[in-house]
Amino acid sequence: MRISQEIKLNFEDVLLQPKRSTLTSRQDVEMTRKFSFRNSNKVLDFCPIFASNMDGVGTFSMAKILQEYKMMTVITKTTTIDAWKQAVGNGLRLQSVSVCTGTKRVFDPEAEDYKTMQAVLKSFPDVKMITIDVANAYHQHMVDFVKMVRDEYPDKVIVTGNVVTGEMTEELILNGADIVKVGIGPGSVCTTRTMTGVGVPQFSAIVECSDAANGVGGHIMADGGCVHPGDIAKALGGGAHMVMIGGMLAGHDESGIKAVDGKREFYGMSSDRAREVHNKSKGGYRGNEGRLISLPDRGPVEPTIQDILGGVRSACTYIGAKRLKDMAKCATFIRTNNVINRAYERYTK
Ligand code: 5GP
């Protein structure tokens, strides 16, 4: 047994310190970023904020709004090829989405999510990104799976995770991943930390994994735990090249989940509710690592997106970053606690 004595931080443990800046307006901030990916050699230009591949978030309706801001959406792995075909004929831009698969293919050559992914990539070569979705990427079979997908798709951008430490970030990048997702347990509807006691505070995980990825020419995507636009700014300032959000986009019209009595469901993808929706069983050995919640209907997602982008833009002007790309370079963080004045929070409409 070993205890690491180093203090690990969450978003609420830090603040960005303002700096002198020559930016005259928030409008001047460049909100897209051009990435050159290590293993696929792809060069893509987008706003590095991703909608998570969760039910109620990773939908085509969401993608169609996010694409207007050059933001990205990971379409859920249960989305059928027919649904893809319909969306593509209906205004979806393929550069703004990623297809998603789990790793069941390792054990089952007929795995449906993998087959759907293959069909999507065959029908729509303009989809440039594959997201391999697993809660825990510390298994050796995960590394083997990434290698297999890389062999099959040498020129697609491969996103995989999730990890929270540098050595596994490097391992996945060296074995074919372009982008490694960082985050175990920080999610809004995730109960991994209470169910298993496992996790690393998200801000520190980002700083460590980003440093590791930069060392080997890879990229990371901070996944989970952003509650406010400022958290996205902190993630980018802490070195995340990209940020994935779920809960911040949930509960809107674009969720694909019907509002009942002014409320919409939202649930973790490892929750009992997700298994019920997708007809999956726990097989007698899995726990319930996600929450089912009922959110007040939030209406259209566009104002929420504008809030998010407005917050991040403003953060850039405070720290003197002309481009999102410069955030980590410009960021000085102060360690603190109790960073938000909650006095009137309960009265906010
Ligand atoms: P949020 O932005 O809502 O804080 O976090 C979203 C992330 O939570 C997702 O992208 C995914 O990585 C993670 N997540 C989604 N569902 C579950 C779940 O049921 N259990 C766990 N442990 N994590 C989840």
Side-chain angles (χ1 to χ4, degrees):
M1 194 280 285
R2 190 173 74 90
I3 300 180
S4 160
Q5 301 289 352
E6 192 190 332
I7 293 177
K8 301 275 182 178
L9 305 166
N10 273 312
F11 293 128
E12 60 265 38
D13 300 319
V14 292
L15 281 175
L16 284 158
Q17 180 179 292
K19 288 197 180 142
R20 288 177 68 179
S21 157
T22 52
L23 278 162
T24 42
S25 156
R26 286 163 210 210
Q27 253 180 340
D28 297 341
V29 178
E30 206 176 297
M31 294 297 282
T32 57
R33 182 172 168 182
K34 192 191 260 187
F35 293 96
S36 297
F37 291 109
R38 179 191 194 270
N39 293 312
S40 58
N41 288 317
K42 273 263 159 347
V43 177
L44 299 179
D45 196 336
F46 52 82
C47 172
I49 304 176
F50 282 64
S52 171
N53 51 289
M54 299 173 74
D55 289 359
V57 180
T59 65
F60 290 124
S61 323
M62 189 68 76
K64 281 195 224 165
I65 307 289
L66 264 59
Q67 70 189 15
E68 297 306 319
Y69 298 86
K70 293 196 93 180
M71 291 162 70
M72 305 287 291
T73 304
V74 183
I75 303 298
T76 60
K77 64 185 175 198
T78 48
T79 306
T80 62
I81 181 74
D82 288 340
W84 273 88
K85 286 181 179 156
Q86 212 176 7
V88 175
N90 243 315
L92 179 74
R93 277 184 232 134
L94 294 170
Q95 305 87 304
S96 301
V97 294
S98 168
V99 64
C100 183
T101 178
T103 54
K104 219 171 126 205
R105 165 74 179 75
V106 173
F107 316 106
D108 175 9
E110 297 307 309
E112 206 174 314
D113 51 8
Y114 200 79
K115 286 190 143 187
T116 303
M117 178 201 79
Q118 287 173 317
V120 168
L121 294 173
K122 192 163 177 218
S123 302
F124 309 113
D126 282 345
V127 175
K128 304 282 191 252
M129 217 177 257
I130 298 172
T131 301
I132 303 170
D133 174 55
V134 197
N136 168 13
Y138 284 83
H139 296 289
Q140 181 56 35
H141 82 68
M142 188 63 205
V143 176
D144 298 338
F145 186 71
V146 170
K147 276 195 222 162
M148 188 198 91
V149 181
R150 174 53 71 209
D151 286 346
E152 192 172 338
Y153 295 103
D155 60 354
K156 296 290 179 195
V157 176
I158 296 180
V159 186
T160 191
N162 282 23
V163 303
V164 279
T165 50
E167 88 291 353
M168 206 58 200
T169 305
E170 290 162 357
E171 176 81 355
L172 291 168
I173 293 169
L174 296 176
N175 282 286
D178 290 301
I179 304 167
V180 174
K181 282 202 291 140
V182 174
I184 294 191
S188 57
V189 281
C190 160
T191 55
T192 292
R193 291 182 185 170
T194 44
M195 286 297 287
T196 68
V198 175
V200 170
Q202 183 69 346
F203 182 75
S204 290
I206 292 168
V207 173
E208 177 175 332
C209 296
S210 154
D211 182 51
N214 288 333
V216 290
H219 291 90
I220 64 150
M221 187 186 300
D223 176 19
C226 290
V227 180
H228 312 287
D231 297 334
I232 299 176
K234 291 175 187 178
L236 294 168
H241 307 99
M242 289 150 241
V243 181
M244 175 172 264
I245 51 178
M248 288 182 80
L249 297 175
H252 291 96
D253 292 351
E254 292 76 5
S255 65
I257 293 171
K258 233 172 77 192
V260 179
D261 297 331
K263 306 242 181 205
R264 280 185 218 269
E265 262 190 5
F266 179 50
Y267 46 84
M269 297 312 290
S270 305
S271 66
D272 283 349
R273 180 67 178 138
R275 291 200 187 88
E276 196 184 323
V277 170
H278 298 294
N279 286 321
K280 295 222 173 91
S281 86
K282 288 206 257 195
Y285 63 93
R286 283 196 180 90
N288 177 14
E289 286 188 32
R291 222 181 279 287
L292 164 64
I293 61 166
S294 174
L295 285 175
D297 179 13
R298 298 170 73 191
V301 77
E302 200 149 4
T304 303
I305 292 170
Q306 286 166 355
D307 251 13
I308 290 173
L309 296 178
V312 176
R313 259 181 205 284
S314 186
C316 287
T317 56
Y318 270 117
I319 65 169
K322 290 190 179 63
R323 313 174 290 175
L324 284 191
K325 187 176 180 189
D326 297 338
M327 283 190 85
K329 197 174 69 185
C330 297
T332 299
F333 283 96
I334 314 165
R335 256 188 64 199
T336 143
N337 53 28
N338 228 347
V339 299
I340 292 167
N341 181 344
R342 303 196 184 277
Y344 288 142
E345 201 168 61
R346 71 199 135 124
Y347 302 112
T348 308
K349 284 193 179 160

